[in-house]
Amino acid sequence: MERDVKTRWPGRLILLLLFGFLYLPIAVLVLLSFNDSGLPTSWSGFSTRWYRSLMGNQDILHAAWNTLVVALFATLISTVLGTLLALGMETRARRSNGLEALVFSPMVIPDIVLAVALLTFLSRLNVTMGLHTIILAHVIFDLAFVCSVVRARLKTFDFSIVEASRDLGASPFQTFWRITFPVLLPAIVAGALLAFTLSVDEFIIAFFTAGAGRSSITLPMQIYSMIRFGITPEINALATIVMAVSAGALVLSQWLNRENRSQ
């Protein structure tokens, strides 16, 4: 027993140090977002002044609204297309490794490569850049993640139920709406939340496909522009809010995905 404890102790210490390395800077950032000082790294007392300051910053509010619009539209479109794509790939009579590599390549391609490719493609088509091009780019990026989550649920789906429904006279739409969709719903919601989180946090692809002007600036782009001209305590508060929203959506997505797998 004592030997087991001695054997596990170094591993637990390494794990503790690893989590400390990963999350201690985030904890410090959150703590400093409630700092009363005008300096972002000097603590002078507890205050929520920087959160109140954010509420009156029109540039940040405009960027937050753009981020919400992009995330909602990108999530809606990528969720619908990703679910249909997962159904189509899972019900194919013959599996194609080339098709799967093509579908899931945005998950492994570096963001900078995908961003440059999208910028080049849109420029060749003479498309005017704006929020619509950011939404399109985020749909391409999020589509693979939604498809992956829904396909994981389809791996355990009993398609004989669908065949029985068709034999009993149900139409394809009735079969999908009353049988397939309720089974896939937790995975679809989990994929949608994951897509929303990725869209809110994404910076590189949005930066390359936003075009000129400030009308299509998203929140990550706004944070980057603020850092370039000097770090203020508002950055800490803004980063804390973005992390909280993203972490909440990601935790809910993982929970729904776990419940989905346990069914």
Side-chain angles (χ1 to χ4, degrees), residues 24-152:
L24 187 59
I26 297 177
V28 172
L29 174 68
V30 174
L31 179 63
L32 290 177
S33 70
F34 295 97
N35 185 15
D36 187 54
S37 172
L39 299 175
T41 58
S42 177
W43 180 264
S44 63
F46 181 86
S47 175
T48 59
R49 58 180 290 198
W50 301 114
Y51 288 92
R52 296 194 301 269
S53 176
L54 286 178
M55 297 300 101
N57 191 318
Q58 294 301 318
D59 290 337
I60 291 177
L61 293 178
H62 180 70
W65 173 254
N66 286 343
T67 300
L68 184 62
V69 170
V70 169
L72 288 177
F73 277 97
T75 299
L76 178 62
I77 298 172
S78 62
T79 300
V80 174
L81 296 180
T83 301
L84 295 176
L85 182 60
L87 286 168
M89 294 180 64
E90 199 62 30
T91 55
R92 280 173 57 92
R94 295 179 58 185
R95 298 297 174 86
S96 172
N97 293 331
L99 177 61
E100 295 202 4
L102 183 64
V103 170
F104 297 116
S105 58
M107 298 176 65
V108 295
I109 294 178
D111 288 357
I112 185 66
V113 175
L114 183 59
V116 172
L118 288 170
L119 175 61
T120 304
F121 177 74
L122 294 172
S123 298
R124 294 292 295 178
L125 295 178
N126 293 322
V127 176
T128 303
M129 302 292 184
L131 286 182
H132 58 287
T133 52
I134 300 178
I135 293 172
L136 177 62
H138 281 196
V139 168
I140 296 173
F141 179 70
D142 293 340
L143 188 62
F145 291 92
V146 176
C147 180
S148 177
V149 173
V150 177
R151 278 195 76 189

